[in-house]
């Protein structure tokens, strides 16, 4: 028996190519790390280790190249993943277009405490690709899985992120919207979407919270495929907000995206830890 944490990506409907693609990503952990799979609750061993495999179930028109990486919600400790006997902040793996692939992984030396661990897989952005539909699909294909983990590692150092939440500026009331993708704009009039990020300009990020409860969120900068804490925000219920951003304090590599990981500000009546994960598209960076 093994644990299952599943992310179903929406099928990509390409009108021009008249194709339908489906992708499902499952996280399975070995039995000794399971507390309660139904509550998405797990634990490490005494060395802060988790072991299992990622199961990619794909039906696509082409083979897929994915970047796989992980980060913690409220701790800045870098998370390294071991895949194929190599330990690194991220890995590039190839997935066949049909059937799927199981990718064994190990994560070690997680910091002690209660954590939300996010394991992300996204299509690699190949700058040589010219097809607009393929670029669109690549920029937005992200598998988002998270695990609630109790880390039993007494010998580790923590890097807890201090709580400093700012209330995001509300610009619109929402009704019945279901947007998942956040959008980055070049200026405050929110007309031209950003295609290139740099360290000198200011950008404006919009987020739609379609839920009827307030969110407390971490914004993560994913520079290439390494995660950095960017900002903490509060997003009002049923609202669209805007956040001015700059990246002067960060090293931007070839490409970047933002990921928001959010929880209800007040506990809801659920048996498990609810999380909302939204992403921008991946953009070129300089």
């Amino acid at each position: 028996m093994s644990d299952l944490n599943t992310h179903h990506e929406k099928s990509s409907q390409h009108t021009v190519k008249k194709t339908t693609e489906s992708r499902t990503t499952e996280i399975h952990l070995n039995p000794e790390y399971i507390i309660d799979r139904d509550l998405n609750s797990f634990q490490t061993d005494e060395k802060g280790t988790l072991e299992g495999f990622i199961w990619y179930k794909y039906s696509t028109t082409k083979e897929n190249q994915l970047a796989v990486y992980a980060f913690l919600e409220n701790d800045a400790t870098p998370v390294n993943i071991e895949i194929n006997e190599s330990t690194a902040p991220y890995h590039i793996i190839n997935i066949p277009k049909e059937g799927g692939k199981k990718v064994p992984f190990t994560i070690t030396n997680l910091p002690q405490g209660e954590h939300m661990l996010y394991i992300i897989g996204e299509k690699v952005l190949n700058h040589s690709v010219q097809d607009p539909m393929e670029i669109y699909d690549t920029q937005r294909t992200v598998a988002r899985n998270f695990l609630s983990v109790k880390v039993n590692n007494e010998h580790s150092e923590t890097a807890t992120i201090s709580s400093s939440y700012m209330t995001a500026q509300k610009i619109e009331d929402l009704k019945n919207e279901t947007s998942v993708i956040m959008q980055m704009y070049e200026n405050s009039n929110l007309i031209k979407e950003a295609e290139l990020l740099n360290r000198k300009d200011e950008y404006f990020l919009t987020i739609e919270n379609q839920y009827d409860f307030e969110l407390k969120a971490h914004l993560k900068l994913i520079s290439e495929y390494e995660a950095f804490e960017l900002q903490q925000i509060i997003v009002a219920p049923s609202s669209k907000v805007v956040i001015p951003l700059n990246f002067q304090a960060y090293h931007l590599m070839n490409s970047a995206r933002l990921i928001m990981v959010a929880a209800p500000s007040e506990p809801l009546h659920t048996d498990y830890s609810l999380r909302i994960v939204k992403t921008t598209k991946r953009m070129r960076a300089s």
Side-chain angles (χ1 to χ4, degrees):
M1 185 180 295
S2 61
D3 169 66
L4 172 62
N5 182 294
T6 305
H7 172 79
H8 297 280
E9 296 176 49
K10 293 183 178 179
S11 296
S12 301
Q13 302 289 343
H14 297 344
T15 303
V16 174
K17 294 186 175 182
K18 296 184 180 179
T19 62
T20 300
E21 299 188 338
S22 65
R23 303 176 181 90
T24 299
T25 304
E26 300 175 356
I27 305 293
H28 295 255
L29 295 185
N30 294 349
E32 61 267 32
Y33 303 110
I34 300 169
I35 297 177
D36 189 326
R37 70 170 56 116
D38 294 329
L39 301 182
N40 197 30
S41 180
F42 312 96
Q43 63 183 352
T44 69
D45 63 14
E46 67 279 1
K47 296 181 180 179
T49 297
L50 290 173
E51 291 183 299
F53 63 89
I54 311 171
W55 193 356
Y56 297 100
K57 299 179 180 180
Y58 276 30
S59 177
T60 57
T61 58
K62 295 182 178 180
E63 291 186 353
N64 299 264
Q65 191 173 60
L66 299 184
V68 181
Y69 54 93
F71 57 82
L72 298 171
E73 180 176 284
N74 202 36
D75 193 292
T77 302
V79 177
N80 290 318
I81 306 177
E82 180 183 337
I83 294 177
N84 294 328
E85 300 183 344
S86 173
T87 302
Y90 67 91
H91 295 266
I92 306 298
I93 61 175
N94 295 313
I95 308 297
K97 62 183 180 180
E98 288 291 343
K101 184 175 184 177
K102 293 182 179 180
V103 180
F105 74 92
T106 302
I107 295 176
T108 59
N109 203 34
L110 289 170
Q112 185 177 16
E114 303 276 350
H115 296 287
M116 296 300 297
L117 171 67
Y118 296 83
I119 300 177
I120 308 295
E122 60 169 285
K123 288 184 69 175
V124 173
L125 183 61
N126 186 338
H127 295 294
S128 66
V129 172
Q130 300 296 318
D131 181 356
M133 294 305 298
E134 186 172 349
I135 293 172
Y136 179 92
D137 183 64
T138 299
Q139 288 177 321
R140 291 162 173 80
T141 298
V142 185
R144 310 175 271 280
N145 296 79
F146 59 89
L147 308 169
S148 178
V149 180
K150 179 181 180 181
V151 180
N152 305 305
N153 186 357
E154 296 182 358
H155 304 291
S156 66
E157 295 185 4
T158 61
T160 303
I161 298 169
S162 59
S163 295
S164 181
Y165 289 89
M166 57 158 282
T167 300
Q169 179 188 351
K170 180 177 175 180
I171 58 174
E172 185 181 337
D173 290 316
L174 296 182
K175 292 182 180 179
N176 302 319
E177 279 80 358
T178 58
S179 172
V180 174
I181 296 176
M182 304 185 295
Q183 290 181 292
M184 188 89 77
Y185 292 92
E186 291 186 351
N187 48 52
S188 59
N189 61 20
L190 308 181
I191 294 175
K192 184 172 176 52
E193 195 171 351
E195 299 292 341
L196 173 68
L197 301 182
N198 61 54
R199 297 177 62 196
K200 69 178 188 298
D201 292 330
E202 187 173 40
Y203 299 91
F204 296 83
L205 177 71
T206 61
I207 302 171
E208 295 183 3
N209 176 14
Q210 68 268 40
Y211 300 99
D212 60 358
F213 50 82
E214 182 182 87
L215 297 177
K216 294 182 71 174
H218 290 258
L219 287 179
K220 305 287 185 177
L221 169 67
I222 313 299
S223 181
E224 198 71 341
Y225 303 109
E226 296 186 48
F228 302 92
E229 180 78 5
L230 185 60
Q231 199 172 115
Q232 298 164 52
I233 58 172
I234 293 173
V235 183
S238 303
S239 67
K240 182 176 182 178
V241 302
V242 62
I243 303 109
L245 295 172
N246 69 71
F247 304 103
Q248 294 177 3
Y250 301 90
H251 176 57
L252 294 176
M253 290 179 273
N254 295 323
S255 64
R257 76 161 75 240
L258 268 62
I259 296 180
M260 181 190 81
V261 295
S265 293
E266 299 295 332
L268 302 180
H269 298 295
T270 60
D271 294 329
Y272 57 91
S273 298
L274 177 65
R275 289 298 186 273
I276 291 93
V277 185
K278 293 176 179 278
T279 76
T280 66
K281 69 180 183 182
R282 180 161 286 276
M283 293 158 278
R284 292 182 295 115
S286 64

